[in-house]
Amino acid sequence: MSVAGSLVLKYQEAVHLAAFLRRITSWDSAAVVRVQTRGAVAGLWSVSPMGCLVFVAVPLGQEPEWPIDSVIFAARFRDILGDLSQSTEANHVAQYRLSDELPMSAMLAELPPQGAWVPAERVAASAVADVVDAAIADYHKQVEMYPTADRKFLDHIAESVWARPGIAAFPLKALHAARSLGFLSHANARVEFATLNGWKRLVTPAGQVFVNTNVARPKLRVI
């Protein structure tokens, strides 16, 4: 393994990344993230169990000496960020050295295309959150009707719920990923849907979700 470089982050940016990493590792303790830098901005990519790519970007306190494009364990990065429960002189602006660079993950090797995305729809974050919450409530309502159902039948219920149309033809389960990551937490914020070359994108103030419709994606088994 080789050293991946380091990021200089202000406190609020470090907190934002730490929250993202906590959610990623709650889905999969062995999850990895792809860290990329462009100038004085760092972006983190990861794969969600909802069959989509998720992305957050933060400004850096200092541009790296050389561009970074490395895959590392999400949990390890969270440990590197350390205790961020309160702002201190030490973490007001701090340098975080990334270690344990891993081989490129197949799921993270192909990133969304760059180009002019075609706008599809622009709505309030609360409208998207309401759609997801209604789907989750319907799932639990159906599950309660079959208290002795086995895992296979519960998976069938989940798939039938998540197969429903989302917003702007964006898969409902990918909207669930945005909801779970806190990307829809600001109810009055506007979120934007767009498409490009078989990809679909949801942009929110807190992060982005991408779906590649050119390839098959795994089923969402757990809500």
Side-chain angles (χ1 to χ4, degrees), residues 32-57:
V32 298
V33 291
R34 183 174 177 179
V35 182
Q36 290 184 319
T37 61
R38 290 184 181 177
V41 176
L44 269 66
W45 298 89
S46 193
V47 179
S48 85
M50 292 78 165
C52 56
L53 285 175
V54 292
F55 173 77
V56 296

Side-chain angles (χ1 to χ4, degrees), residues 24-25 34 38 43-44 47 58 69 71 77-78 84 87 108-109 128 140-141 143 146 150 164 166 170 176 186 191 194:
I24 293 299
T25 53
R34 183 174 177 179
R38 290 184 181 177
L44 269 66
V47 179
V58 296
D69 188 356
V71 176
F77 192 10
R78 179 62 190 89
L84 296 169
S87 178
L108 293 174
V128 182
H140 288 296
K141 181 179 180 180
V143 168
Y146 304 97
D150 59 16
R164 299 171 186 170
F170 204 81
H176 179 31
H186 301 289
V191 301

